[in-house]
Amino acid sequence: MQTLSDHILDIAQNSIRAQASRVEIDLQENITEDSLVITIRDNGCGMDETTVAKVTDPFFTSRTVRKVGLGIPLFKQNAEATGGTLKIKSKPGEGTTIEANFGLSHWDRPPMGDIAGSIVILVSANPGIDFIYRHTTEKGEYTFDTNEVKEILEGVPLNDPEIVMALRQMIRENIKEIT
C-alpha cells in the first residue's frame, strides 16, 4: 500500500466482502491541528470482540485463499508512524467503523494518491452498494453520494464508461476546490 487511497480501497473492499449495502468514507484534513482522520464505516456483518482484537495481526485473516491479511495491519502501522492511531469498532450484525489518525505533515505519512480514482473504482465495480464520500478541510467540505448521483442519472448505470469518466473528473475537481 503506497498511498492512502490504496488503503481506503482495501478497507472498503473488506466492507464489501462483509456484505455491506452502505459504505461511508470520511476524510478530515486539518492543517491547524496537523491532523488527517480517515474514517470508513459500513453496515456489513460486523465482527465480534475476538476478531476485532486479531485483525491488526498480519498473520490473521478471515479469508480462506491466503494465510495473511496485511491491509489493516499496514494501515495501522502507517498511522502510528506519523504519531497517530487506528481504532476499530464493530458489532456483529451492525457493521464496522475503522478510524485512522495521521500526522498530516509528518514525513512518514503516505501520499494521498488518487482518491477520486479509488472512489470511482468502488462505485463502478459495485453499483448496488451505496457509497458516501466526504472530504472536509478548513477551506470547505465536499460530499459525493451515489444515491444523489443515481437520482440525477435517472436510470443510467453508474458503471457506464462515460459516467465513470465524468464521475472521476467531478470528484477530482471538487477535491481540488477544498484542498
Side-chain angles (χ1 to χ4, degrees):
M1 311 273 167
Q2 296 183 348
T3 67
L4 294 174
S5 64
D6 293 337
H7 282 295
I8 290 168
L9 187 58
D10 179 68
I11 302 299
Q13 289 288 2
N14 290 346
S15 297
I16 293 162
R17 278 191 295 278
Q19 302 171 342
S21 62
R22 179 182 173 97
V23 179
E24 296 180 42
I25 301 165
D26 291 309
L27 272 73
Q28 296 179 348
E29 293 181 64
N30 189 313
I31 294 170
T32 305
E33 295 178 8
D34 193 34
S35 72
L36 170 64
V37 180
I38 299 173
T39 306
I40 302 166
R41 184 178 307 107
D42 71 51
N43 66 350
C45 63
M47 299 178 280
D48 59 31
E49 289 180 27
T50 304
T51 305
V52 169
K54 292 179 181 178
V55 295
T56 57
D57 177 353
F59 299 104
F60 172 80
T61 182
S62 60
R63 297 173 74 184
T64 56
V65 253
R66 59 182 175 206
K67 296 182 181 187
V68 295
L70 296 176
I72 293 174
L74 286 174
F75 198 34
K76 179 181 180 188
Q77 179 183 0
N78 282 332
E80 290 175 347
T82 69
T85 59
L86 181 111
K87 299 175 189 171
I88 303 171
K89 294 180 184 173
S90 190
K91 281 191 173 181
E94 292 183 21
T96 301
T97 299
I98 296 180
E99 180 182 285
N101 294 279
F102 292 84
L104 182 62
S105 66
H106 198 284
W107 58 66
D108 286 331
R109 181 182 61 82
M112 202 64 85
D114 185 8
I115 298 288
S118 293
I119 299 301
V120 170
I121 286 169
L122 289 166
V123 168
S124 62
N126 305 282
I129 296 176
D130 296 330
F131 289 94
I132 297 173
Y133 166 68
R134 277 183 217 93
H135 196 139
T136 306
T137 69
E138 290 163 300
K139 291 182 181 179
E141 180 177 299
Y142 169 63
T143 301
F144 170 82
D145 184 334
T146 55
N147 282 324
E148 291 175 6
V149 174
K150 287 175 186 176
E151 282 181 32
I152 293 167
L153 292 177
E154 298 178 339
V156 178
L158 291 175
N159 54 6
D160 178 281
E162 289 183 26
I163 299 301
V164 169
M165 289 180 7
L167 291 176
R168 181 178 285 123
Q169 183 68 22
M170 178 186 73
I171 294 169
R172 280 187 181 145
E173 288 174 6
N174 279 284
I175 291 172
K176 196 177 209 179
E177 285 184 23
I178 62 167
T179 56

